[in-house]
Amino acid sequence: MMATRNAIGLVAVVVGVALMVPLQGWAQSPVAGSAGEEPAGIQVPPPPFTEGIFPCSECHKDLPVNVQRRQLVDMHDDIVLNHGPKTRWCFDCHNPGDRDRLRLASGELIEFTQSYRLCGQCHGDKLRDWKVGVHGKRTGSWNGKKQYLLCAHCHNPHSPRFKALKPLPPPVRPGLIGGEKGGTR
Amino acid sequence: MERIRNFIRFIVDSAKHVASGNRYYYAWVGFLLAIMAGGAVAYASQINHGLIVTSMRDQVSWGFYIGNFTFLVGVAAAAIMLVIPAYVYEWEPIKEVTILGEILAIAALLMCFGFVTVDIGRPDRVWHITPLVGTFNFPSSLLAWDVVALNGYLLLNWIVVTYMLYCAYTGRHYRKGIVYPLVLLSIPMAVSIHTVTAYLFNGLAARPFWNVSILAPKFLASAFCSGPAILLVLLQILRKTTRLQVKDEAIFKVAELMAYTMGFNLFLTAAEAFKEFYSNTNEKVFTEYLYFGYQGHQTLVPFAWASLLCGVAAFILFVIPRTRKNWVTLNLGCLLIYSSVYIEKGMGLIIPGLTPDTLGDIYEYRPSLTEVGVAAGIFAAGFLAFTFMLKVAVPIMLGEFRGGRNPAREPTSPR
Amino acid sequence: MSGPEKHDPSRRAFLGAAAGAAVGVALTGCTPVSREEFFQRHLHELTDAERDVMVKRLEKQYEEKFGKKVTVATDPPLEGVTFAYALDLSRCIGCRKCVYACVEENNQSRDPQIHWIRVLQMDKEKGVDVLKADPYYDSEEVPTPGHFYMPVQCQQCADPPCVKVCPVKATWKEKDGIVVVDYNWCIGCRYCMAACPYGARHFNWGEPNLPADELNPVTHLLGNRPRPKGVVEKCTFCIQRTRKGLYPACVEICPTGSRKFGNLLDPSSEVRQILENKRVFIFKEDLNTQPRFFYFYGV
């Protein structure tokens, strides 16, 4: 009896907190909440959600959960999934029960602001380097506070391979650097 | 007091001598002044727009000006080819004309200073390099050593020449105690100016073409084998146009010494070629660019081979006594060796040292019209200074130009 | 020959006039340099007060020239700092964003063009070999297959050959490791450019052309303040930013996070982490200039 009430109360608190966070904006200090083992002070900007897509539970709280591996047609059909082997699909990372969170292999649910922990499960060496600033990007001060960019800020988690860029113009060849009268040639 | 008045009279008399002459003299001086005027116009353009009017760019940041500077330092050093036989071996036939070598050294050094001044980006800041007044990075920077060595050598030659001419002008015999030590000092100093200039390039680890031990010996060898060529031609001209007596054997002896230095210079060239092409490291790319072209860039190739062939031809002409003692082949040899070393120390040294550049970029440098104009102006100024000094010195040597308080004393040429 | 020949006075007058005209023409080309500027002493010989007077003069000149308020900072090196730079060759894609971010941040001349960073496209099969490198690549996309990219800029060497050879001590190494140039003292002899093994030093061959609307008005005396014609310039690790704790512009703009910067003396800095854990090499290490710029392979 007591245990059930406590459990319901705990769930209510957790759900309440989860719903409050989007109201404050995401870009805040490390959520001390779920796990205690990430280094203190990993500041990140807001995760790069598509406009209006978050919170996911807005739609998904009323939709039935279908864990069948399939090609999506009604929604999210613009997502090209090209991450690893062909057997990979949405629920390898996303959490069917609570769409506003991601799910680690242990079953632990994490916020999108800590998505690096999910990536780090497979890409552990990148996570290790990222935490000390060797992989990826940190902005801010070299001798002070820094802000990290999430993995997802550079790598599209659904199709992580970088697209090629057009390079900026090459330098002018020395023979073409202008001369005045009586100049180069 | 008397001395000072005499000296001032010497200066004034010399100036009068310089300002008067026959029509060939005026034509020659006018011609040089015209070229200097053209050079001044070109230099004005350079001051106005900056060094961008040259063809030098970041990849080849030294060019025609520094090439000429390097060559002329060698010419200045070559005076010792007369000094050594004259004062160390006391060989009379050369002794009477040694002063001409020293005058040549002065003119060459004036041109050197001219080339360095037009090469720097901020000529208004030249005073920064003055010791005590500016900040002089001695002994770390080889350019600072060069300033000391070149100025010292210029001063030395200036003192010796002025003193000897002044003594002759006043009919006195110069004091051996003053002249001999200075002249003997000029031997290591001449070696030093060219060694320091060589070290300027040699010390740069960034430029493998220059960062070779052979550079300093090669500079000296090429200086000694080419500088005196001008003197040989000059002596022949003076013999014909003035009453100056120069023994044939003096000319031939200098030519013989040049032959040996030419041979040594060719040996050093061969040594360089062997190291580059046999060891076949990436560093050979500079020598390859010079003699064979690299990646289709071949601007220097004809010049490199011309220099080599002229050098070999000159060596043959000078080393065989028959051709050395024939006036036609001797003068031809002088022209050949002069051209050969001019190319070798100019475009054959500076450009390959900087091409390809430190990041492998290749920029083919060819001097612009403005650069050539400025350089011509400086050469003309040097020739003019040389002419003026000779206009004073030769009559003094001949005893035709006397003044001061003792006009009746030994009217012989300065010894 | 030297007889009593009457020299023609008109001829002498002509020659004198010609010489005077030549000198006059030469001098018309000179831009007027103020008295204080001409006699300006070496920075190290100025007292702090004299230096501040000079800075005020420079700020005024820049304001007149560009029509904007310009600040010229004189921040000294921070204590306990030795800057170091690390560049991940496995990640650079050769986009050249760093090149142009640097140009904007550091007020380089647009025409004649000066770039402090040069990106070399190299062959994966041939490795780091400058003779096979191409700085002028202009492909549709980068990275192109079979190539990797190596940006080169001033390596801020601990034993800089450029400092060794400057005849007037116009360039020197500061306490925090940045090799700087005193633009008011440099005579433009370009000996330092011949001495630099990395092609990192650049010369203002002509009057630098910097449009006023592209000027970055936050400058440092020894860094990105607009330079005059005829002096040498080079990367200063964005001295105007790094001495205030910011990252250099090239580090900030790099889209792949290939560029890392920090204090070598701080064990928690990313550059220390890289030196301790990654495969690092030094460009032209055999020349023993001891750069503070490290290339590494992060993957």
Side-chain angles (χ1 to χ4, degrees):
Chain A
M1 257 311 212
M2 206 49 182
T4 332
R5 252 191 292 160
N6 282 342
I8 293 171
L10 188 59
V11 167
V13 165
V14 168
V15 169
V17 166
L19 286 174
M20 263 201 290
V21 175
L23 299 175
Q24 295 166 5
W26 277 97
Q28 285 323 314
S29 329
V31 181
S34 18
E37 72 259 16
E38 79 275 33
I42 293 193
Q43 307 248 18
V44 292
F49 289 119
T50 313
E51 182 80 31
I53 205 93
F54 195 89
C56 315
S57 50
E58 290 264 314
C59 295
H60 281 279
K61 63 177 188 294
D62 297 322
L63 292 172
V65 177
N66 179 1
V67 298
Q68 196 68 23
R69 194 185 291 272
R70 65 195 184 281
Q71 194 73 21
L72 301 175
V73 286
D74 294 326
M75 190 65 180
H76 303 308
D77 51 346
D78 52 328
I79 293 178
V80 177
L81 189 58
N82 189 8
H83 187 161
K86 290 279 183 290
T87 47
R88 180 113 321 116
W89 95 297
C90 318
F91 288 134
D92 287 343
C93 296
H94 286 280
N95 182 31
D98 174 4
R99 297 304 166 99
D100 293 335
R101 280 204 185 68
L102 298 164
R103 190 185 71 250
L104 298 181
S106 61
E108 185 186 338
L109 299 181
I110 57 167
E111 309 301 334
F112 275 91
T113 48
Q114 289 192 347
S115 52
Y116 52 87
R117 294 175 62 203
L118 175 59
C119 310
Q121 287 182 131
C122 293
H123 303 284
D125 53 341
K126 301 290 182 290
L127 178 66
R128 182 197 64 208
D129 284 347
W130 177 87
K131 280 186 181 166
V132 293
V134 172
H135 182 101
K137 199 139 161 217
R138 294 197 291 192
T139 54
S141 308
W142 57 265
N143 62 352
K145 280 173 95 62
K146 301 175 186 25
Q147 201 173 54
Y148 285 75
L149 289 181
L150 288 172
C151 319
H153 280 113
C154 294
H155 305 276
N156 179 349
H158 304 128
S159 179
R161 183 170 276 268
F162 279 148
K163 307 284 174 298
L165 293 180
K166 173 130 183 64
L168 291 177
V172 174
R173 282 187 192 266
L176 297 174
I177 292 182
E180 305 293 282
K181 23 186 175 180
T184 50
R185 289 289 180 267
Chain B
M1 216 50 238
E2 190 54 52
R3 286 221 185 139
I4 297 182
R5 253 199 298 173
N6 256 346
F7 193 71
I8 293 178
R9 197 173 305 154
F10 169 57
I11 304 285
V12 172
D13 275 351
S14 302
K16 284 198 198 143
H17 247 83
V18 158
S20 60
N22 65 15
R23 63 170 186 275
Y24 294 115
Y25 176 71
Y26 279 128
W28 172 243
V29 169
F31 170 65
L32 291 177
L33 284 174
I35 298 186
M36 283 169 70
V41 169
Y43 189 54
S45 166
Q46 189 180 291
I47 297 242
N48 224 339
H49 300 286
L51 281 163
I52 201 165
V53 301
T54 69
S55 292
M56 294 186 279
R57 296 289 180 263
D58 283 356
Q59 284 78 353
V60 178
S61 51
W62 277 344
F64 197 46
Y65 295 151
I66 296 294
N68 283 319
F69 161 77
T70 313
F71 174 69
L72 288 166
V73 174
V75 169
I80 75 173
M81 287 289 276
L82 296 186
V83 168
I84 292 179
Y87 288 90
V88 176
Y89 292 99
E90 297 275 352
W91 203 51
E92 290 304 322
I94 288 190
K95 213 159 182 196
E96 39 203 45
V97 294
T98 319
I99 197 171
L100 297 174
E102 287 153 1
I103 289 177
L104 174 66
I106 294 175
L109 284 167
L110 290 174
M111 287 194 270
C112 287
F113 288 132
F115 275 114
V116 170
T117 308
V118 301
D119 183 65
I120 65 176
R122 295 297 302 234
D124 58 318
R125 294 182 185 175
V126 159
W127 68 270
H128 290 186
I129 207 174
T130 321
L132 302 175
V133 178
T135 43
F136 199 56
N137 194 6
F138 187 92
S140 174
S141 168
L142 264 300
L143 262 183
W145 280 82
D146 226 4
V147 167
V148 170
L150 260 62
N151 277 294
Y153 188 62
L154 177 65
L155 191 65
L156 183 75
N157 276 306
W158 200 282
I159 291 174
V160 170
V161 167
T162 310
Y163 177 68
M164 285 173 71
L165 288 179
Y166 179 62
C167 283
Y169 166 81
T170 54
R172 275 197 307 246
H173 207 277
Y174 64 79
R175 278 205 275 191
K176 281 198 176 171
I178 293 182
V179 169
Y180 268 59
L182 288 178
V183 167
L184 290 175
L185 180 62
S186 78
I187 298 173
M189 285 203 72
V191 171
S192 79
I193 61 166
H194 220 24
T195 306
V196 166
T197 307
Y199 282 172
L200 208 149
F201 297 101
N202 201 358
L204 303 180
R207 310 288 175 178
F209 187 67
W210 294 337
N211 192 221
V212 287
S213 319
I214 210 175
L215 205 72
K218 187 128 195 295
F219 266 42
L220 289 164
S222 57
F224 297 153
C225 74
S226 65
I230 306 185
L231 289 170
L232 293 188
V233 171
L234 176 73
L235 289 174
Q236 292 171 66
I237 292 177
L238 288 177
R239 267 203 314 195
K240 289 242 162 65
T241 53
T242 71
R243 274 186 290 232
L244 194 66
Q245 306 257 23
V246 183
K247 296 202 178 61
D248 278 358
E249 52 173 342
I251 296 183
F252 295 146
K253 185 52 99 182
V254 172
E256 189 189 335
L257 294 174
M258 282 169 67
Y260 303 141
T261 48
M262 278 186 218
F264 188 56
N265 193 31
L266 288 172
F267 172 69
L268 292 180
T269 307
E272 279 185 312
F274 170 76
K275 178 259 179 190
E276 299 297 357
F277 293 114
Y278 184 83
S279 307
N280 204 24
T281 65
N282 271 357
E283 294 179 356
K284 75 173 192 290
V285 71
F286 308 98
T287 312
E288 198 182 320
Y289 171 67
L290 178 60
Y291 284 103
F292 302 106
Y294 183 68
Q295 290 182 353
H297 301 279
Q298 306 208 313
T299 321
L300 291 181
V301 174
F303 294 101
W305 287 102
S307 168
L308 188 62
L309 293 171
C310 287
V312 171
F315 173 60
I316 293 172
L317 290 177
F318 268 61
V319 86
I320 299 175
R322 260 246 294 260
T323 44
R324 183 169 70 235
K325 293 184 179 164
N326 173 317
W327 297 110
V328 173
T329 46
L330 177 73
N331 286 319
L332 178 64
C334 285
L335 182 66
L336 287 173
I337 191 64
Y338 205 71
S339 316
S340 167
V341 174
Y342 181 71
I343 294 175
E344 185 191 317
K345 295 282 260 301
M347 57 182 95
L349 173 80
I350 309 294
I351 314 303
L354 300 170
T355 315
D357 86 333
T358 51
L359 297 180
D361 201 1
I362 297 183
Y363 165 57
E364 294 227 83
Y365 166 86
R366 253 163 265 151
S368 68
L369 283 175
T370 316
E371 273 176 290
V372 173
V374 173
I378 294 176
F379 271 112
F383 273 84
L384 194 67
F386 193 44
T387 307
F388 286 169
M389 287 189 277
L390 289 177
K391 191 76 168 55
V392 171
V394 172
I396 290 183
M397 284 159 73
L398 292 172
E400 293 168 5
F401 177 17
R402 281 282 174 275
R405 295 280 276 172
N406 302 299
R409 291 266 210 98
E410 317 160 43
T412 47
S413 34
R415 295 301 207 90
Chain C
M1 268 231 100
S2 55
E5 194 156 319
K6 288 276 187 295
H7 39 265
D8 193 335
S10 67
R11 195 174 284 148
R12 269 230 290 226
F14 166 74
L15 290 177
V23 168
V25 168
L27 286 177
T28 52
C30 296
T31 42
V33 171
S34 69
R35 239 183 91 86
E36 305 108 14
E37 229 178 281
F38 184 79
F39 288 107
Q40 185 74 59
R41 304 202 53 69
H42 191 284
L43 186 63
H44 288 162
E45 292 181 17
L46 301 178
T47 61
D48 280 355
E50 286 170 331
R51 185 200 62 200
D52 291 338
V53 165
M54 175 179 71
V55 163
K56 286 267 171 314
R57 190 187 77 227
L58 288 171
E59 287 178 345
K60 188 155 154 303
Q61 277 174 357
Y62 291 140
E63 189 166 347
E64 276 166 17
K65 181 164 183 198
F66 294 101
K68 272 190 197 178
K69 179 137 178 41
V70 175
T71 51
V72 177
T74 52
D75 298 355
L78 295 167
E79 287 294 319
V81 171
T82 297
F83 287 126
Y85 207 111
L87 203 146
D88 191 345
L89 281 188
S90 57
R91 292 200 197 289
C92 175
I93 55 171
C95 66
R96 292 199 183 106
K97 286 202 166 121
C98 51
V99 176
Y100 290 94
C102 171
V103 165
E104 280 175 28
E105 170 68 31
N106 291 295
N107 292 324
Q108 275 134 282
S109 167
R110 304 304 197 257
D111 176 24
Q113 186 194 68
I114 296 183
H115 285 171
W116 287 356
I117 302 175
R118 189 155 258 241
V119 183
L120 303 175
Q121 177 179 271
M122 307 218 182
D123 262 336
K124 279 188 179 160
E125 279 183 15
K126 304 202 167 97
V128 177
D129 180 359
V130 294
L131 292 176
K132 312 278 190 305
D134 178 14
Y136 300 108
Y137 65 93
D138 192 13
S139 34
E140 272 307 304
E141 288 185 335
V142 282
T144 49
H147 292 122
F148 68 98
Y149 298 86
M150 181 167 174
V152 181
Q153 63 211 68
C154 175
Q155 314 270 291
Q156 317 289 356
C157 307
D159 183 14
C162 55
V163 170
K164 196 159 55 174
V165 300
C166 176
V168 293
K169 299 192 194 170
T171 187
W172 63 88
K173 191 170 176 70
E174 294 257 300
K175 273 219 179 73
D176 54 4
I178 304 181
V179 177
V180 297
V181 179
D182 179 358
Y183 306 119
N184 280 11
W185 196 252
C186 172
I187 62 173
C189 72
R190 309 186 300 291
Y191 197 10
C192 59
M193 289 174 71
C196 175
Y198 304 104
R201 296 180 75 104
H202 307 275
F203 189 67
N204 282 286
W205 297 101
E207 190 64 49
N209 186 332
L210 176 62
D213 56 345
E214 295 182 39
L215 170 79
N216 171 10
V218 180
T219 71
H220 190 283
L221 181 65
L222 296 169
N224 65 333
R225 67 176 174 98
R227 276 76 64 192
K229 173 177 72 177
V231 301
V232 164
E233 57 180 63
K234 65 178 199 57
C235 163
T236 55
F237 275 178
C238 278
I239 196 173
Q240 69 279 2
R241 294 176 61 93
T242 51
R243 284 191 177 170
K244 293 190 158 78
L246 301 173
Y247 281 110
C250 48
V251 173
E252 291 232 326
I253 196 90
C254 177
T256 58
S258 309
R259 288 170 166 273
K260 304 293 173 200
F261 178 84
N263 179 7
L264 204 56
L265 302 175
D266 170 11
S268 66
S269 66
E270 48 266 53
V271 287
R272 273 289 283 272
Q273 296 290 323
I274 290 166
L275 286 179
E276 286 168 16
N277 297 301
K278 295 293 178 190
R279 280 158 302 293
V280 173
F281 78 92
I282 286 176
F283 190 26
K284 301 198 188 189
E285 182 167 25
D286 51 318
L287 298 183
N288 199 24
T289 57
Q290 298 156 40
R292 288 291 170 259
F293 199 104
F294 305 97
Y295 292 94
F296 71 103
Y297 295 101
V299 193

